[in-house]
Amino acid sequence: MALLAATALYAQHASAEISDGVVKIGVLNDQSGVVSDATGQGSVVAARLAAEEFNNQVSGKPIEIIFADHQNKADIASTIARQWYEKDGVDLIVDTPNSGAGLAVQGVAKEMKKIFITSSAGTTALSNQNCSPYGIQWTYDTYALAKGTGEAVVEQGGKTWYFITADYAFGHQLQADATSIIEQHGGKVLGSANHPLATPDFSSFLLQAQASKAQVVGFANAGGDTIEAIKQATEFGLTAGGQRVAAMLLLLTDVHSLGLKAAQGTYLTTPFYWNLNADTRAWSDKFAAKFNGRRPTFLQIGVYESVRHYLQAVQALGSDDADAVMKKMRETKIESAFSHGAYIRADGRVIRDMYLAQVKTPAESKEDWDFYKIVKKIPGEELAHPLSESTCPLVKKS
């Protein structure tokens, strides 16, 4: 009996160890393309800030942060993910902008029973039809952006829309979600045009938008594409001609690149603003000190918070076993400078409050990066696709 008890105790102890003697986290994102400004090295800095809160070790073992550029290509993303999980001992992959890349990595993670948390891929497919027991959609999705911004613009009289849409999973899903919200509120989409990723020339798409006579031209794209589209829309005189521009995903770094003169008055939905309160400002000051004085996007602080929540679970368990860690993360409310009372839903979607914001005028801005006026807080449950309509196999239907 004593031998059996000792054996059981040893087995329990062995199962509660850190695999390979290190907790390795991979930041997989865009280091050089259209969303590198909003993710890129800033996301690596954010992940390292999370590790530093644990003195760069957990359960007595070191935390290692690595990164790679997926070049916004699904095949490159999946190849890196497989290499990291299978051969390089990576326990967690985070960030991963570009919905096609995010879906590819989530597929690899599910197959290999490894954890994947995306802060930057927005397609609802990640927590709907392609959901995974090892996947978490941390920061936002296209439904939340469409509902927050779409409702606000339609309520202000923007009833007819024309979309200029990035021709990949994120753009198509964002347009589809926005169309549904617009139609629910009595609006109508008159047409759309798809553009390739990182196109330098939006002229043909903008001419079609002008010809449509739509009250609102909606940009269902991200990063550098959104910046170029808004710049060229101004040059083409869309707003001067009476049309409104709505950016369905507008990030802090996009406004910084555009300048307040070009971006002023634009409505957006965001889960985070660096100057929202004392806690958000204090964390953003730490980030700025590490990253050339720049303020974080919500994608970057999403990386910080997701890594932090993961490490808290590993520390509590004394193990990086994927199934045990996922269970612990799902059981634990998310608390940080970013979130209060956020939680991981059954489909892997984090439910968090968000904000409808408006870009300030140059006269309203009091300091560098002081770009947003918060219009209202939107409860997280209002911005999440209803579970009753979910096709995620993890969701139990009554």
Side-chain angles (χ1 to χ4, degrees):
M1 288 294 291
L3 179 62
L4 286 173
T7 302
L9 182 63
Y10 173 80
Q12 183 180 14
H13 176 72
S15 67
E17 291 182 347
I18 304 300
S19 61
D20 304 322
V22 60
V23 175
K24 189 177 284 191
I25 298 167
V27 181
L28 182 56
N29 66 15
D30 178 359
Q31 292 282 319
S32 56
V34 294
V35 285
S36 58
D37 204 26
T39 60
Q41 279 297 303
S43 291
V44 179
V45 168
R48 288 175 176 160
L49 282 170
E52 286 173 11
E53 290 189 14
F54 294 79
N55 295 316
N56 294 305
Q57 62 177 9
V58 62
S59 294
K61 304 297 182 183
I63 301 166
E64 183 178 350
I65 307 292
I66 64 173
F67 67 90
D69 186 351
H70 65 28
Q71 300 174 46
N72 290 300
K73 296 178 180 177
D75 57 340
I76 293 176
S78 61
T79 298
I80 293 170
R82 191 171 295 279
Q83 169 76 26
W84 277 0
Y85 284 140
E86 195 169 54
K87 297 182 179 178
D88 297 341
V90 168
D91 301 293
L92 167 69
I93 293 176
V94 296
D95 202 11
T96 318
N98 185 292
S99 289
L103 287 166
V105 174
Q106 182 151 294
V108 173
K110 182 178 180 181
E111 174 194 337
M112 303 190 72
K113 297 184 178 180
K114 296 283 190 176
I115 300 176
F116 170 59
I117 306 176
T118 179
S119 298
S120 303
T123 178
T124 53
L126 284 158
S127 53
N128 199 31
Q129 66 266 33
N130 293 101
C131 71
S132 163
Y134 299 96
I136 304 173
Q137 191 164 25
W138 195 264
T139 315
Y140 79 107
D141 65 13
T142 54
Y143 183 86
L145 299 181
K147 196 168 192 301
T149 305
E151 279 186 358
V153 175
V154 173
E155 286 171 0
Q156 288 194 331
K159 297 291 187 180
T160 57
W161 290 62
Y162 187 94
F163 277 99
I164 295 176
T165 300
D167 194 12
Y168 63 101
F170 169 80
H172 295 304
Q173 189 64 59
L174 185 51
Q175 180 185 325
D177 289 336
T179 298
S180 176
I181 298 299
I182 290 162
E183 291 176 347
Q184 286 174 27
H185 288 77
K188 185 178 181 181
V189 175
L190 303 182
S192 65
N194 297 331
H195 71 80
L197 184 69
T199 184
D201 185 6
F202 283 84
S203 58
S204 64
F205 313 118
L206 292 167
L207 286 169
Q208 292 174 62
Q210 279 183 316
S212 75
K213 306 295 184 184
Q215 294 170 307
V216 183
V217 179
F219 295 118
N221 48 21
D225 284 332
T226 304
I227 293 167
E228 279 304 313
I230 292 175
K231 281 182 179 177
Q232 293 179 39
T234 302
E235 292 166 5
F236 269 76
L238 261 70
T239 52
Q243 289 179 298
R244 284 194 240 176
V245 169
M248 304 311 293
L249 172 59
L250 190 67
L251 295 158
L252 193 74
T253 45
D254 301 336
V255 179
H256 190 263
S257 295
L258 282 163
L260 289 177
K261 186 175 179 180
Q264 63 183 316
T266 303
Y267 282 94
L268 62 134
T269 301
T270 182
F272 172 81
Y273 179 47
W274 72 271
N275 205 19
L276 186 66
N277 55 48
D279 288 342
T280 58
R281 188 176 184 110
W283 189 88
S284 299
D285 286 346
K286 291 180 184 178
F287 179 90
K290 297 274 189 179
F291 199 49
N292 305 316
R294 297 173 69 84
R295 298 299 184 177
T297 64
F298 69 76
L299 306 180
Q300 289 162 339
I301 195 172
V303 170
Y304 156 79
E305 186 184 65
S306 63
V307 170
R308 182 177 185 267
H309 196 65
Y310 170 82
L311 292 173
Q312 285 175 328
V314 172
Q315 184 178 60
L317 295 167
S319 168
D320 59 3
D321 176 78
D323 291 292
V325 171
M326 281 296 296
K327 184 174 184 293
K328 186 67 176 177
M329 285 195 294
R330 288 178 180 275
E331 292 172 348
T332 308
K333 288 286 183 72
I334 302 163
E335 295 287 338
S336 78
F338 183 11
S339 307
H340 298 287
Y343 63 93
I344 303 166
R345 202 167 64 167
D347 57 356
R349 169 81 151 74
V350 170
I351 306 302
R352 64 173 71 254
D353 296 338
M354 295 193 185
Y355 302 89
L356 179 67
Q358 188 179 27
V359 178
K360 290 182 175 182
T361 66
E364 291 172 323
S365 180
K366 304 304 181 187
E367 61 181 301
D368 196 17
W369 299 94
D370 177 28
F371 297 156
Y372 296 168
K373 294 183 290 188
I374 301 301
V375 178
K376 66 176 180 178
K377 184 177 181 178
I378 311 172
E381 287 78 6
E382 292 183 12
L383 293 171
H385 196 271
L387 279 182
S388 59
E389 299 174 8
S390 176
T391 58
C392 170
L394 302 173
V395 175
K396 295 177 181 178
K397 298 296 178 68
S398 56

